[in-house]
Amino acid sequence: MVATKTMIALDNGYDEVVTIVTDARETAGRLQRILGYEETHRGDSDPGFLALHALDPAMGWQEISVVQPQSGRGRMRLLQARGPVPPVRRMGAQPWDIGGFFDMSVRSLGPIDELIASFCRGGFSAFAPIADFEMAGLKVREVLAHDGDGLCFAMIERISPPLQDCDHIRGPASNPFNSVITVSDVDKAKRFFIDIFGWEALVDTALVHPDGRNVMGLPLDIAREHEVRLAIVQQQGRMEGSVELIEYPCESTDFLTDKPHYRGLASLCFPVSDLAGVITRSAAAGCAVGDPREVVWTGLGKVRAGWVLTPWAARFVFFEPF
């Protein structure tokens, strides 16, 4: 285990992904083997941190944190209950189904074929074969893989223009840098993040796949003939710690009532400079919120933190260092 001193940038995307898994030690080991991540912490979860996620301390939560060691951000915290294994959130969901977070994206720093093969050897399954496409002037190859705990990774290999700012990373993949929320109306969702959170949209586009091949597993005729609309938002308009909103051209199943203790992607955590303002604006917009409270945050010590449950049942935790 490698101990690291956490450095954070305020108001610049999410800094941590919180997940709930069956076996934190086993999942951490797989992520180390597949992605080259390193463990930075393990122990009992702080009751204040659990409260941010509506998790009952009586379930005996333990946690392990892993991180891409050269990235400096995008840590993954893996929570595990000591008792019975909780159900999985979004159980049986397809990418176009609504409720919670769908995935987290990593940049493939070598051939994506090798990375997806490594994921599949590690107990993940792909939604569809690797697909090539263009978005916002970028040519990329992408594939999605998920496991039995509901953890889903999007792997993206940049073809052109060349990827910048990743030469210092040693290993097959970057830190998690983007996460998808499936929505029924991308314009309304975008306005929520711009008007309530004060974020910026850095991508706002629609995709059609001429040959039908797509990473989401959409039927080929739908992918060929109908647009998939998407927007990417972030506090400073950067694709780092960003949130991607996707509207699909088909009917969806609703997973909005999944419980907080279910396995899967539980929250994204954002360091901010105006915690009270974020919580106040979100409450005024009708979101369920948790008022700021003092929490012992792994790697940072004491912080003030609160939470917002978005209209898509995706939990955002915001924290402000003392």
Side-chain angles (χ1 to χ4, degrees):
M1 182 165 60
V2 177
T4 61
K5 182 178 179 180
T6 302
M7 304 294 289
I8 59 172
L10 303 181
D11 307 315
N12 193 25
Y14 67 78
D15 188 71
E16 185 168 333
V17 179
V18 178
T19 68
I20 297 175
V21 298
T22 301
D23 186 327
R25 185 187 311 183
E26 190 273 339
T27 300
R30 285 193 293 146
L31 297 180
Q32 290 175 70
R33 291 189 297 273
I34 297 168
L35 296 171
Y37 290 3
E38 295 182 1
E39 181 180 326
T40 60
H41 162 78
R42 70 169 59 192
D44 294 334
S45 299
D46 174 68
F49 185 82
L50 295 176
L52 297 172
H53 295 81
L55 299 177
D56 183 359
M59 294 181 70
W61 294 93
Q62 299 174 301
E63 62 184 49
I64 296 177
S65 294
V66 296
V67 69
Q68 204 299 320
Q70 291 86 41
S71 71
R73 65 179 297 162
R75 177 173 58 177
M76 292 185 62
R77 191 185 306 223
L78 314 171
L79 302 183
Q80 171 192 342
R82 283 195 177 95
V85 176
V88 66
R89 63 187 73 203
R90 293 179 55 88
M91 214 237 328
Q94 299 297 322
W96 48 88
D97 291 326
I98 294 173
F101 299 99
F102 169 61
D103 73 4
M104 48 198 145
S105 301
V106 297
R107 297 178 174 97
S108 178
L109 303 180
I112 196 170
D113 308 77
E114 295 178 8
L115 185 57
I116 184 59
S118 182
F119 265 98
C120 290
R121 287 193 298 270
F124 287 77
S125 299
F127 276 99
I130 297 169
D132 300 83
F133 64 96
E134 294 187 33
M135 182 183 72
L138 305 178
K139 291 184 178 181
V140 300
R141 307 188 76 209
E142 184 173 356
V143 66
L144 304 172
H146 62 135
D147 72 357
D149 281 327
L151 302 187
C152 181
F153 286 86
M155 290 147 266
I156 303 168
E157 180 184 1
R158 176 80 66 82
I159 304 303
S160 67
L163 189 62
Q164 302 292 323
D165 303 325
C166 285
D167 291 344
H168 64 292
I169 294 180
R170 299 187 300 275
S174 74
N175 55 295
F177 72 93
N178 184 67
S179 185
V180 166
I181 301 174
T182 303
V183 301
S184 57
D185 187 322
V186 75
D187 290 322
K188 288 183 179 179
K190 183 178 61 175
R191 294 312 318 174
F192 174 89
F193 283 91
I194 292 172
D195 295 343
I196 308 304
F197 288 169
W199 293 9
E200 300 177 21
L202 61 146
V203 173
D204 188 350
T205 190
L207 298 177
V208 175
H209 299 78
D211 62 359
R213 290 175 60 90
N214 67 95
V215 299
M216 297 82 72
L218 282 169
L220 300 184
D221 56 340
I222 291 180
R224 276 195 304 265
E225 299 167 10
H226 300 275
E227 291 183 339
V228 175
R229 299 198 57 210
L230 66 91
I232 300 178
V233 293
Q234 198 253 22
Q235 285 123 309
Q236 297 184 21
R238 301 180 62 228
M239 200 174 295
E240 190 66 58
S242 52
V243 174
E244 185 171 352
L245 311 166
I246 303 183
E247 175 189 339
Y248 288 93
C250 54
E251 293 187 34
S252 63
T253 303
D254 181 333
F255 289 88
L256 295 170
T257 59
D258 282 354
K259 304 302 181 186
H261 68 284
Y262 285 8
R263 298 176 353 256
L265 210 169
S267 76
L268 301 178
C269 302
F270 297 79
V272 296
S273 59
D274 182 18
L275 174 62
V278 173
I279 300 299
T280 298
R281 292 192 302 274
S282 300
C287 296
V289 303
D291 290 333
R293 58 183 295 158
E294 186 175 297
V295 175
V296 177
W297 199 282
T298 301
L300 293 177
K302 291 182 179 180
V303 303
R304 286 181 58 78
W307 56 268
V308 174
L309 194 65
T310 68
W312 311 277
R315 183 177 296 262
F316 285 35
V317 172
F318 297 94
F319 65 96
E320 187 175 59
F322 282 111

